[in-house]
Amino acid sequence: MPKLVSHPDEVKIVTRRFGQGAANIDKYIELGGYDSAKKCLAQGPDWIINEMKASNLRGRGGAGFPTGMKWSFVPKQSPKAKYVLVNGDESEPGTCKDHLIFLHDPHAVIEGTIIAGLAIGSKLGFIYLRGEYRYLLEIMEKAVADAYAKGFLGKNIFGSDTEFQIITQSGAGAYEVGEESALMESLEGKRGVPRIKPPFPAVVGLYGGPTVINNAETIATVPHVIAMGGEAYAAVGSPRNGGTRLFGVSGHVERPGVYELPMGYNLKKIVYDVAGGVRGGRKLKAVVPGGSSTPVLLPEEIESLGMDFDQVGKAGSMLGSGGVVVIDDQTCIVEFALRTISFYQHESCGWCIPCREGTDWLKKSLTRFHAGFGTAKDIDNIQYLAENMMGRTFCPLGDAAAMPTLGFVKKFRKEFEDHLNGKLCPFAKHTELAVV
Amino acid sequence: MSSETMTIFSPKVAARFDALVQKYPVKRSALVPMLLYAQDEVGYLSDAVIADVAARIGITELEVRNVATYYSMLRFKPAGKFNVQVCTNISCMLRGAYDLFDRFQDELGVGHKGVTPDGVFSLEEVECIGACCWAPAIQVNYDFHDDLTPDQVPAILDTYRGKAKAEGTAAHA
Amino acid sequence: MADVTITVDGKKLTAPAGALLIDVCRKAGIEIPAFCYYPGLSLQAACRMCVVRQEKVPKLQTACTTTVAEGQVFITDSPEITQARKATIELLLGNHPLDCPVCDAGGECELQDMTFKYGAGESLYAEAKQHREEQQWSPAVFYDRPRCILCYRCIRMCGEGMDVWALGVQNRGASAVIAPNGGDRLDCEQCGMCIDVCPVGALTSGSYRYKTRPWEMNHVSTVCTHCADGCKVTLGVRQSNDGSAIVRADNRDKSGINGDFLCAKGRFGFDFVENPERLSKPLVRNAAGKLEPATWEHALRVAAARLKEVRDSRGGSAIGVIGSNVTTNEENYLLQKFARAVLQTNNIDHERTTDYSAFAHALAGHTGRSASLREIAAAPAILLIGGNPTEEHPLLAWELRTNVRLNRARLYIANTAEIKLERQAKAVLRLSANGYTHLPAYLGGSDAAIANTAFREALLAEESLVVIFGQEYRGAPVEELVQWGVNRPNVRFAFLGDLANSRGAADMGLLPSLLPGYVPVTTPGAFAAEYSGMPTAPGKTHPEMLAAAANGQLGALFIVGANPVSSLRSDPAQLKGTFVIVQDIFLTETAALADVVFPAASLYEKTGTITNTYGDVQLVKKGADRAGTKPDFEILVRLAGAMGVDVKALVPFGKTGMTADLGQSRGAQAGEADRHAVWLAARGLEPKLSPFDPLAALDEIERLVPAYKLDRPNLFGGNDATTDPGFVPVSALSGPDLVTPTHNGLFTSGTLGYYSDSLKDLQRHQTPARAETAAD
């Protein structure tokens, strides 16, 4: 059972009901659950979207698109059915926040889905969980069944004339399916390959109907936004970055875990204060701020860095999924880069050339390089390859592989050079990965 | 094809599939979960499984294979009764996942994607399983085990060995 | 859509709003490279080669998915774009084998061309390339995985284009592979379209692979010799010991009525020309009763003497002539003229596969009612009655599918059996066994025999309609059906026949009662100037000729490219008392009984025109050359000459008075002279110095057959020229319905198929697959 952690600086909004048995529907109701959905049912779509816009809630999947605006793009009238799609394909390395939401507060996901459905005029929502989360899928299935039993889902939700149904869905192992259009493909029973955009899902999405796709954390936040009021939620965070964020701190820290902190909270404090500092008294080498696709930051870069979309962006990285990975000074960056790129190579869908070939090439080069068979030219080649993947791929996965690679090569070039001339990696033990 | 007469699945799973294809606005949406459930029962996606699923969804076997081969949890060869999946992605790696994986290799005597001769275990190095803050973590089939050290490996394996024995005995009784 | 103006590389371009930028640029001559983009197929945006810079857009955009809108500004050529394309090629070359020297595609490879252009000349890749063994999926299709760049053209062509869906993509990322539907084999229509669209050498053809280098071939555009759809086909020919050999057939320039399309027969079924059993010497039956090789002079002398003798002693009615479905219009025309004017007999016929004379009779006087294939391809609504185009008219099936897919045409199908094209149909009318005869009445509003008013109402609501009907119709029902249509506005017709020039055989008067253009032989004064001394009573049909031979009433039987002994299942003994002359490319059952056999050139070895079943006339050009054979046209002229006929009366050659060879001998090697000749021919100025030049006969055909008012520049430019049976004289007769459809399928083609190892291999490959399905 994943350990729950806590810190005085936390502002518990989304995690408010964690650890209180809220997977039980009666407990959830007792803790104020489903009040927001009822309120939304009474207030209607325009009100909901205004509240969402006022909240400055931005997508928690990583791209940070304003949720209220996303919902407002869905046409009011549509000849085709509209859908809500909850993205619980949480797969970005360093990220496990949705894991806890499904475990501790499944009804918040259901309630958020209902609200999204009311906002856009949809009658059917899907909650898609990655295939590995089978036990969480079972929790969600139970929660959905309970919500049906209470009349919160179905033809007449909360005794109204409004219909809303939810279907839970399992993936089967594919990071790429976390991309919204690939998610729709997967849900339609196809290979998880992204679609050409435009048209965007809000116009032509699942089964060709207008579709809103939100990350599970975003959706689970929605009932709280409604409960608090959009402006009150926005006030918790930093400018243009409403509310709190679930930061999953992992790696070399004393107290890894998922912490709910206000947007804009200082990264250095997250590492040294909230998560208890670098494990075993070692020194900090680098921090990956938002999941493995975000460029690495050096200790000096996190000093006064506030964790919101805009500030981390300005620092040359991304807030991403909020997965903070802390790396100590005994870690080989080349190995870390190799492991990162191996992931993207494994997960590239193969659709477009720059990503398919680029990730494969990067992995092979880094493997050889890490094993001590690299040349000085390889460092330039790795950088050249990554630069030529950036912005050229069909979907963001190519960037997700190229961005961190560029970060590692540029910021730790010296460490790459230390691997040259037949010298073995000064840190890692696993040099037998070599395929040369 | 009528699912009652031709199916290779247990009545329970067959019934589940009958419901699954009715559940979605479009039948084909049942495909990915159906493949996973089929694998849970049969152990892997055999040719017979693919043919059966194709008939249920009403698509060609080629289409089923196109989709099935895309998803990394789906396999086309039998795995062990308990498939040990060790995450070695960054968060787990930083907290000793490779040592953990080595220990599993030593204890089981098989490598990545290997199956023990008794068929009880298979071992796999996998990508991030979404347990980064409780690293290093593994999954045995769908069960998570987190915050592990290599020393815990024998005990974990013993637990599952016991389960295999109990189920084996039950099956023989 | 309204036109918009965009700026590309500083040039103002006008295009319909919403058009794809890549198409707009290419039309304007601005090159945009692409591997995955293929006109007419769904968009992929996967290869990232077509990236361009759009003003005010942060990232490079793919031209294949960018739709044009007013005022957009694009750059398609800049150091940034060149670098992006170069990097993409470098990435591809990372694992792409550089086995270009032995690769079939070497010299015709889009990846090679792009590498040449963008100069990814330095290899940055130090790892060993991933090798996988080449796989053979069928006799026709081989797959070389490492060469594959995953552009998905083959998958889309097979699925969207062919509606076969036999190819898929499996695994993901760098392990992704193209996979066939049968696991390790391909169960499909074997059309080879996947090979055709492959931009590299990943998919190669069983018949062409490792045979030659592309630059060793000459490319000759001609027309396929198999079914009656008349696909333009480009023959790749190369010098051989016996002349010049065909090593490949494809649709290289995509300019014909078939555009991209070619089926298995067109692509692989050319190898009959190389069959070792091919006749290459004239044969004459010796005193011992055995056929033995003879010189052309001797064989011609023997045949001519005998024909002359029978004509002069017993009259023309004692001679029978049977023509072919795969010889050219000029040859057919000349054959019947030879029969009528020289042999003085109307005993001239061919093995009819379709009742074209009934069709012509029905349409006579109604111009603009015949549908060309191009009209079918663009028709908003089509009614297909009977037939199974997927098997017997692959090009028609392709055009119908494409029209439905890209233009949202509405296809209505009426058939007694379920056919594959129903997948594209808007509505299907299932007919009972004799439903075809009831259909004209049903269309006319009668519910007596067929009760399905919805289908009829949908049809009648169409503003225009092309009605395509199959060989189920012959005789009176053809007229009834056509009558229904000519009474309505905007209804056009097409009639499905079997063989490459079946339509031309009928149009050219290989019929005992009809002259060219379906003019009854009884018409007073018809063709009198050209056909002096022609009898005016109808002659015998070909079964009647055989019967007459059996009765000893036929002194001589002259057979060109037909095999009545096999097709009529005649007893060989019936021909015992008749002097039989056969012109053919193989020693058929009939030829084996002949007294004189002339080795003829195949359709791929001669020049002329042929007419497909839709009445489209196309130019046949000499591609291959087989030593020892002669085109049927030349044999006929020589035979007439040997009989002492004034050849100039038979073939009006040499009329323009030119004195120099300006390239009229169109051959595989003709270059500049050939183009010059095309220019002359298109304007009717070619010298026609030789009596062996079929175009001299074409002049006479155009003069005497009003339906053949051909658009010559179009025809000689390699396009199809339409004919209109509406110009058939209203006095036209409907012949007796002596029709025997061959129903050749995807891999059969009568005698030609019998001698094609490629087609036989494909048939064998298909058989077990079909058996399995049946047993299931």
Side-chain angles (χ1 to χ4, degrees):
Chain A
M1 202 57 172
K3 198 161 65 186
L4 285 177
V5 288
S6 152
H7 186 269
D9 282 1
E10 279 192 281
V11 177
K12 299 218 175 211
I13 297 176
V14 177
T15 57
R16 188 162 66 89
R17 289 183 283 252
F18 281 18
Q20 299 186 52
N24 178 305
I25 192 164
D26 293 321
K27 184 70 188 174
Y28 182 75
I29 294 167
E30 187 194 315
L31 294 170
Y34 288 110
D35 287 349
S36 294
K38 286 179 204 159
K39 189 172 176 186
C40 289
L41 187 60
Q43 296 285 355
D46 293 341
W47 180 87
I48 303 172
I49 289 176
N50 282 336
E51 285 300 309
M52 293 309 299
K53 282 185 175 168
S55 73
N56 280 342
L57 174 63
R58 291 171 68 169
R60 300 304 193 224
F65 196 83
T67 306
M69 204 189 294
K70 190 185 246 187
W71 291 5
S72 71
F73 289 157
V74 176
K76 285 219 158 29
Q77 303 298 323
S78 162
K80 290 204 162 185
K82 299 185 243 186
Y83 302 99
V84 178
L85 179 43
V86 180
N87 186 347
D89 190 63
E90 181 170 65
S91 305
E92 174 83 357
T95 317
C96 53
K97 62 198 177 57
D98 300 341
H99 188 139
L100 289 185
I101 294 172
F102 294 130
L103 179 61
H104 290 285
D105 208 3
H107 286 285
V109 180
I110 296 171
E111 190 176 358
T113 310
I114 296 172
I115 295 170
L118 293 171
I120 64 159
S122 157
K123 289 179 182 165
L124 180 57
F126 292 88
I127 300 173
Y128 185 110
L129 270 66
R130 62 180 301 188
E132 292 85 348
Y133 284 180
R134 172 64 64 81
Y135 87 105
L136 300 171
L137 179 72
E138 284 164 2
I139 290 169
M140 280 308 309
E141 282 171 346
K142 166 83 167 57
V144 167
D146 290 345
Y148 270 105
K150 291 266 186 208
F152 298 169
L153 291 171
K155 287 267 181 208
N156 308 96
I157 62 169
F158 306 107
S160 71
D161 293 339
T162 303
E163 175 183 354
F164 195 74
Q165 317 270 355
I166 285 181
I167 295 175
T168 51
Q169 178 80 345
S170 169
Y175 166 78
E176 178 59 14
V177 165
E179 195 278 339
E180 57 180 11
S181 62
L183 181 65
M184 296 190 295
E185 288 286 298
S186 177
L187 188 43
E188 289 182 10
K190 299 173 191 157
R191 293 167 62 83
V193 171
R195 295 179 181 172
I196 294 170
K197 294 180 214 171
F200 291 95
V203 183
V204 181
L206 191 62
Y207 310 123
T211 306
V212 147
I213 303 163
N214 284 122
N215 177 258
E217 182 188 343
T218 314
I219 280 288
T221 308
V222 169
H224 301 291
V225 170
I226 297 297
M228 294 170 71
E231 283 180 23
Y233 180 81
V236 176
S238 54
R240 290 189 309 282
N241 288 268
T244 56
R245 186 83 207 258
L246 300 193
F247 291 106
V249 189
S250 65
H252 294 143
V253 286
E254 287 289 354
R255 287 193 303 274
V258 176
Y259 298 92
E260 182 171 15
L261 295 161
M263 281 290 220
Y265 193 86
N266 177 259
L267 180 53
K268 189 179 178 186
K269 273 173 81 180
I270 291 179
V271 175
Y272 286 102
D273 188 0
V274 176
V278 181
R279 190 170 68 162
R282 286 181 182 166
K283 277 169 113 181
L284 180 67
K285 183 171 199 167
V287 181
V288 174
S292 65
S293 65
T294 58
V296 67
L297 296 172
L298 298 173
E300 57 269 31
E301 290 175 300
I302 70 167
E303 284 288 331
S304 56
L305 182 63
M307 289 290 274
D308 66 28
F309 288 106
D310 303 322
Q311 294 184 59
V312 184
K314 231 177 254 168
S317 188
M318 287 166 75
L319 186 63
S321 64
V324 177
V325 184
V326 178
I327 302 165
D328 74 15
D329 62 350
Q330 296 299 299
T331 309
C332 170
I333 283 296
V334 177
E335 188 187 23
F336 194 87
L338 168 59
R339 190 63 191 86
T340 302
I341 209 69
S342 296
F343 172 73
Y344 292 103
Q345 188 270 356
H346 186 256
E347 301 299 333
S348 171
C349 77
W351 188 249
C352 72
I353 294 168
C355 175
R356 178 183 75 229
E357 303 296 333
T359 52
D360 194 47
W361 195 331
L362 283 176
K363 179 186 172 181
K364 284 178 178 163
S365 296
L366 282 165
T367 304
R368 181 169 45 80
F369 197 91
H370 184 241
F373 297 97
T375 66
K377 191 145 188 295
D378 282 324
I379 306 175
D380 293 334
N381 278 351
I382 289 166
Q383 185 170 340
Y384 172 84
L385 270 173
E387 279 167 353
N388 278 288
M389 289 166 68
M390 280 299 295
R392 307 262 174 81
T393 52
F394 187 86
C395 85
L397 195 145
D399 290 354
M403 277 186 305
T405 309
L406 285 173
F408 295 130
V409 177
K410 285 182 179 167
K411 291 180 183 173
F412 293 95
R413 195 176 173 101
K414 167 88 177 48
E415 204 167 311
F416 276 80
E417 285 165 358
D418 287 347
H419 280 71
L420 287 176
N421 304 323
K423 278 186 271 176
L424 280 180
C425 167
F427 305 99
K429 290 174 272 178
H430 292 272
T431 49
E432 71 269 25
L433 287 170
V435 289
V436 175
Chain B
M1 154 178 135
S2 122
S3 51
E4 282 93 301
T5 52
M6 295 283 289
T7 192
I8 58 164
F9 301 114
S10 66
K12 196 176 150 208
V13 170
R16 184 177 195 177
F17 285 178
D18 289 344
L20 207 56
V21 293
Q22 302 299 326
K23 187 167 136 184
Y24 303 90
V26 170
K27 220 179 186 182
R28 189 167 169 160
S29 284
L31 180 57
V32 175
M34 199 185 260
L35 288 169
L36 200 52
Y37 297 140
Q39 175 171 289
D40 292 344
E41 172 157 290
V42 179
Y44 68 107
L45 301 181
S46 62
D47 290 351
V49 167
I50 285 170
D52 193 312
V53 169
R56 284 169 183 278
I57 305 272
I59 56 177
T60 64
E61 291 176 35
L62 177 71
E63 284 175 285
V64 175
R65 283 184 196 281
N66 293 345
V67 174
T69 53
Y70 180 85
Y71 294 93
S72 55
M73 288 174 72
L74 301 174
R75 56 180 174 257
F76 302 86
K77 279 184 201 143
K81 186 176 180 61
F82 296 106
N83 188 31
V84 180
Q85 301 145 76
V86 182
C87 172
T88 61
N89 211 307
I90 49 172
S91 298
C92 288
M93 178 181 92
L94 293 178
R95 295 182 78 94
Y98 280 125
D99 292 338
L100 192 63
F101 184 66
D102 283 352
R103 185 64 184 264
F104 273 110
Q105 295 199 77
D106 293 345
E107 293 289 331
L108 293 173
V110 296
H112 175 58
K113 297 233 173 189
V115 184
T116 57
D118 60 4
V120 173
F121 290 105
S122 49
L123 181 64
E124 219 180 319
E125 181 186 350
V126 296
E127 295 299 350
C128 181
I129 54 176
C132 318
C133 292
W134 318 292
I138 66 162
Q139 274 190 291
V140 179
N141 295 348
Y142 293 106
D143 298 339
F144 280 89
H145 298 265
D146 54 35
D147 208 359
L148 296 175
T149 60
D151 294 344
Q152 291 168 275
V153 168
I156 292 170
L157 292 177
D158 279 347
T159 312
Y160 286 101
R161 243 180 231 120
K163 278 192 189 179
K165 211 173 233 174
E167 284 174 36
T169 319
H172 286 293
Chain C
M1 284 239 214
D3 278 358
V4 294
T5 304
I6 60 169
T7 309
V8 180
D9 300 337
K11 258 201 274 185
K12 292 252 185 266
L13 301 180
T14 305
L20 294 176
L21 179 63
I22 193 167
D23 289 337
V24 175
C25 287
R26 284 179 173 184
K27 212 171 256 177
I30 298 166
E31 193 190 320
I32 307 279
F35 292 121
C36 68
Y37 177 72
Y38 195 87
L41 299 180
S42 63
L43 302 177
Q44 309 283 289
C47 76
R48 318 309 283 177
M49 281 300 288
C50 68
V51 288
V52 296
R53 169 63 62 192
Q54 182 178 358
E55 201 180 76
K56 296 187 189 118
V57 176
K59 281 186 181 184
L60 292 178
Q61 300 293 297
T62 46
C64 69
T65 57
T66 302
T67 49
V68 300
E70 184 60 42
Q72 288 167 328
V73 179
F74 296 99
I75 304 288
T76 72
D77 192 5
S78 70
E80 173 198 36
I81 291 163
T82 303
Q83 173 53 37
R85 292 173 181 166
K86 179 182 169 193
T88 300
I89 293 165
E90 282 169 339
L91 283 166
L92 278 178
L93 293 180
N95 208 41
H96 187 92
L98 296 178
D99 61 349
C100 312
V102 295
C103 176
D104 276 359
E108 292 180 323
C109 170
E110 295 180 34
L111 179 58
Q112 255 185 353
D113 294 349
M114 304 250 178
T115 308
F116 185 76
K117 168 145 190 183
Y118 293 99
E122 187 192 357
S123 182
L124 308 175
Y125 197 70
E127 330 303 323
K129 295 190 184 198
Q130 221 178 352
H131 178 72
R132 289 200 207 191
E133 286 305 307
E134 185 183 44
Q135 300 167 11
Q136 180 175 10
W137 288 345
S138 82
V141 185
F142 285 68
Y143 178 59
D144 192 321
R145 164 64 183 104
R147 288 180 189 159
C148 175
I149 61 170
L150 289 169
C151 67
Y152 315 106
R153 281 189 196 175
C154 53
I155 296 178
R156 285 173 288 156
M157 182 52 84
C158 183
E160 299 166 19
M162 295 302 298
D163 192 26
V164 169
W165 308 97
L167 294 173
V169 59
Q170 294 180 0
N171 306 332
R172 71 182 185 209
S175 323
V177 289
I178 305 296
N181 55 356
D184 57 354
R185 54 176 273 139
L186 195 47
D187 295 324
C188 67
E189 294 174 9
Q190 307 294 346
C191 63
M193 290 298 290
C194 51
I195 303 165
D196 200 82
V197 295
C198 181
V200 294
L203 288 165
T204 54
S205 144
S207 67
Y208 172 69
R209 56 204 305 275
Y210 302 131
K211 274 234 179 102
T212 188
R213 308 302 317 186
W215 52 86
E216 292 179 328
M217 290 186 287
N218 280 297
H219 302 283
V220 181
S221 280
T222 184
V223 184
C224 176
T225 184
H226 293 287
C227 87
D229 280 352
C231 286
K232 194 168 168 184
V233 56
T234 304
L235 302 178
V237 295
R238 199 179 56 171
Q239 291 308 307
S240 74
N241 292 339
D242 295 327
S244 66
I246 306 172
V247 282
R248 182 173 77 177
D250 62 14
N251 44 346
R252 198 167 194 253
D253 69 357
K254 306 188 192 330
S255 67
I257 40 177
N258 44 316
D260 293 353
F261 180 76
L262 213 54
C263 78
K265 285 197 282 193
R267 197 180 302 279
F268 308 115
F270 57 81
D271 59 338
F272 68 88
V273 301
E274 294 294 319
N275 191 293
E277 291 181 48
R278 186 77 195 271
L279 292 172
S280 59
K281 283 193 177 77
L283 305 172
V284 175
R285 198 165 293 280
N286 62 15
K290 277 205 145 160
L291 279 175
E292 65 177 12
T295 62
W296 275 97
E297 288 70 19
H298 177 65
L300 285 164
R301 206 158 45 230
V302 171
R306 201 57 183 270
L307 285 174
K308 203 166 176 220
E309 180 209 314
V310 174
R311 177 193 68 188
D312 295 345
S313 61
R314 299 168 63 178
S317 62
I319 303 177
V321 180
I322 299 174
S324 167
N325 285 294
V326 288
T327 45
T328 65
N329 288 326
E330 294 71 21
E331 288 167 340
N332 292 343
Y333 177 83
L334 187 66
L335 179 65
Q336 62 84 38
K337 186 177 179 183
F338 175 72
R340 289 178 160 125
V342 176
L343 303 180
Q344 293 178 348
T345 181
N346 277 321
N347 292 344
I348 167 89
D349 202 353
H350 68 291
E351 295 171 339
R352 287 174 249 170
T353 65
T354 310
D355 197 353
Y356 287 117
S357 56
F359 187 51
H361 177 66
L363 283 176
H366 303 284
T367 53
R369 293 300 193 154
S370 162
S372 70
L373 193 56
R374 284 191 196 276
E375 282 162 344
I376 292 168
I382 299 114
L383 169 62
L384 174 67
I385 309 169
N388 184 2
T390 308
E391 294 279 326
E392 299 183 14
H393 294 273
L395 172 59
L396 173 66
W398 163 270
E399 298 289 15
L400 292 176
R401 283 192 305 265
T402 307
N403 195 4
V404 169
R405 185 167 58 89
L406 297 182
N407 309 326
R408 298 197 187 143
R410 295 164 298 279
L411 174 64
Y412 302 87
I413 291 180
N415 207 308
T416 52
E418 192 180 334
I419 59 171
K420 191 182 153 200
L421 274 172
E422 288 175 19
R423 297 200 217 167
Q424 278 74 35
K426 184 184 176 219
V428 175
L429 178 66
R430 183 71 62 237
L431 297 171
S432 60
N434 52 359
Y436 295 118
T437 44
H438 298 311
L439 203 66
Y442 162 80
L443 291 172
S446 162
D447 293 325
I450 303 169
N452 185 337
T453 49
F455 184 86
R456 182 173 58 218
E457 276 162 19
L459 263 183
L460 297 186
E462 295 291 351
E463 281 182 13
S464 71
L465 190 66
V466 169
V467 179
I468 304 168
F469 58 103
Q471 293 144 302
E472 292 87 348
Y473 283 85
R474 57 191 75 155
V478 174
E479 316 240 351
E480 287 168 35
L481 186 63
V482 171
Q483 203 53 49
W484 166 79
V486 295
N487 287 331
R488 299 179 53 82
N490 306 321
V491 178
R492 285 171 177 262
F493 287 92
F495 193 5
L496 300 178
D498 268 349
L499 297 164
N501 202 23
S502 292
R503 172 75 177 258
D507 284 357
M508 292 303 110
L510 290 187
L511 294 164
S513 54
L514 295 168
L515 292 165
Y518 306 95
V519 176
V521 292
T522 52
T523 311
F527 295 23
E530 292 80 9
Y531 291 44
S532 64
M534 172 183 70
T536 53
K540 292 184 175 65
T541 64
H542 81 282
E544 284 169 354
M545 288 183 231
L546 285 225
N551 296 336
Q553 292 166 357
L554 216 57
L557 183 58
F558 180 29
I559 299 168
V560 176
N563 187 5
V565 171
S566 164
S567 58
L568 294 175
R569 296 197 172 74
S570 315
D571 176 3
Q574 289 186 333
L575 289 175
K576 268 234 147 81
T578 309
F579 187 80
V580 179
I581 306 164
V582 171
Q583 277 174 219
D584 212 317
I585 60 178
F586 292 106
L587 195 68
T588 61
E589 289 89 334
T590 308
L593 301 172
D595 298 284
V596 178
V597 179
F598 295 115
S602 76
L603 196 66
Y604 291 146
E605 297 152 344
K606 58 173 74 154
T607 300
T609 66
I610 62 170
T611 309
N612 69 8
T613 195
Y614 316 98
D616 306 318
V617 180
Q618 295 179 88
L619 190 67
V620 164
K621 284 206 251 176
K622 178 171 175 160
D625 196 3
R626 181 79 176 178
T629 67
K630 291 185 192 303
D632 293 284
F633 196 92
E634 181 179 339
I635 302 173
L636 280 172
V637 172
R638 288 187 185 276
L639 189 58
M643 285 176 76
V645 172
D646 173 13
V647 169
K648 209 151 184 171
L650 199 61
V651 183
F653 70 99
K655 283 193 175 161
T656 53
M658 307 285 271
T659 54
D661 184 343
L662 291 171
Q664 75 273 33
S665 50
R666 284 158 199 80
Q669 304 308 317
E672 195 55 40
D674 190 39
R675 283 195 290 280
H676 186 60
V678 166
W679 188 91
L680 289 170
R683 286 154 186 79
L685 296 173
E686 72 278 42
K688 292 161 206 149
L689 289 174
S690 157
F692 305 139
D693 186 347
L695 296 181
L698 182 61
D699 292 343
E700 190 165 294
I701 293 170
E702 283 199 82
R703 192 156 51 78
L704 295 176
V705 181
Y708 277 62
K709 289 277 166 280
L710 301 175
D711 175 356
R712 277 212 176 197
N714 208 24
L715 179 67
F716 286 88
N719 298 318
D720 45 299
T722 53
T723 60
D724 189 341
F727 289 114
V728 166
V730 283
S731 61
L733 292 176
S734 180
D737 60 352
L738 261 180
V739 169
T740 318
T742 64
H743 291 307
N744 283 322
L746 283 174
F747 313 110
T748 55
S749 188
T751 304
L752 301 184
Y754 178 78
Y755 289 101
S756 165
D757 291 337
S758 299
L759 294 181
K760 285 200 279 194
D761 284 348
L762 288 177
Q763 245 175 310
R764 270 193 294 273
H765 176 78
Q766 299 300 101
T767 323
R770 294 197 173 170
E772 274 165 33
T773 322
D776 207 302

